[in-house]
Amino acid sequence: MSEQGERRAEPSAWAIERFGRQASKLAWAVPVQLARAHARAHAVHLTAGLKKRGPYGSTLAECVRVNLADTARELGESVREIRGFEYAVINDHAVFPYKYADRPRPLDQARLPSNASPTRRRLFRAHGPEPQDGLFELDDDLTTEEYRQLEETFEELGASTKLVCVFFTADPEDGIHAIHWGEAHLEPDRTFTWLHSEQLPVAIPPP
């Protein structure tokens, strides 16, 4: 991945503690990979020719995950699959990207949608800060087989792996508005309590 002459800001003590020697490279790569993902999602959006319910959001989400996984590979770090989705795992920290709004909005207004998958919820509960005593909450409608499969999936991520969130806002016309990363605890009302957060610069998307 070429730096194209861009200067890297010094990573924070928090970033160094989480990502070790990769902290500086990752702090630079995350905005770049989000910008690249937007460029691809925007191209798909234009091709679809839809004004409102276009494929921008789903394409962006997939491209961000893939791009961050590629970054992990380039850095010689791990990529692990959770129920069909690849996640970058760097220095035993899984990077969880999430677009929390399609317009500029403060980070403290981020909220998981009501139709969020059980996998996302359990990802936060099992690997986020202040995890519950058990690996999962056993929902009343969850069968033994489904529970076993989820438990096996999260064993793939690794019991010691912690979650680092990359939350951002974006839209097809204006691209990425803001990027934050840090550690967030998912609350019962689907909001987040941030134990630590930092804002990353927004990179210029490729032409």
Side-chain angles (χ1 to χ4, degrees):
M1 188 188 311
S2 172
E3 297 183 31
Q4 298 178 343
E6 295 185 31
R7 296 179 61 187
R8 295 180 183 173
E10 288 297 320
S12 68
W14 172 86
I16 294 173
E17 184 177 349
R18 269 65 187 171
F19 301 114
R21 61 186 178 85
Q22 308 290 18
S24 179
K25 295 177 182 177
L26 191 62
W28 175 83
V30 167
V32 171
Q33 295 292 32
L34 263 64
R36 291 175 177 173
H38 160 72
R40 185 171 180 182
H42 183 249
V44 172
H45 175 78
L46 292 178
T47 301
L50 301 175
K51 292 183 178 181
K52 292 185 178 180
R53 299 186 180 274
Y56 175 80
S58 59
T59 303
L60 179 65
E62 177 64 16
C63 289
V64 169
R65 281 193 299 267
V66 170
N67 289 2
L68 293 178
D70 288 345
T71 292
R73 293 187 180 96
E74 291 175 8
L75 296 177
E77 299 286 341
S78 300
V79 174
R80 296 176 191 160
E81 186 172 309
I82 302 296
R83 298 186 69 81
F85 297 109
E86 289 187 335
Y87 289 94
V89 179
I90 298 171
N91 196 36
D92 218 18
H93 285 78
V95 181
F96 179 83
Y98 175 55
K99 181 175 78 72
Y100 67 91
D102 56 8
R103 61 182 184 276
R105 178 177 289 183
L107 182 62
D108 60 10
Q109 294 183 17
R111 188 172 186 171
L112 206 63
S114 58
N115 63 348
S117 69
T119 300
R120 279 186 172 183
R121 296 172 186 265
R122 291 184 174 89
L123 192 60
F124 275 96
R125 290 169 181 167
H127 300 284
E130 301 175 5
Q132 298 170 351
D133 293 336
L135 183 59
F136 309 111
E137 287 184 342
L138 186 56
D139 298 334
D140 292 339
D141 59 347
L142 191 64
T143 67
T144 302
E145 177 62 19
E146 289 171 332
Y147 182 84
R148 184 189 65 80
Q149 292 175 354
L150 283 169
E151 185 175 11
E152 289 177 353
T153 297
F154 279 87
E155 285 176 353
E156 288 295 318
L157 190 57
S160 63
T161 302
K162 298 299 182 182
L163 203 66
V164 169
C165 300
V166 174
F167 278 31
F168 60 97
T169 61
D171 70 66
E173 289 74 28
D174 298 322
I176 308 295
H177 312 134
I179 308 169
H180 306 265
W181 69 355
E183 294 168 284
H185 175 73
L186 178 63
E187 301 293 347
D189 64 355
R190 308 191 316 277
T191 61
F192 297 90
T193 297
W194 290 86
L195 280 69
H196 181 88
S197 66
E198 299 175 357
Q199 190 161 356
L200 295 175
V202 174
I204 299 174

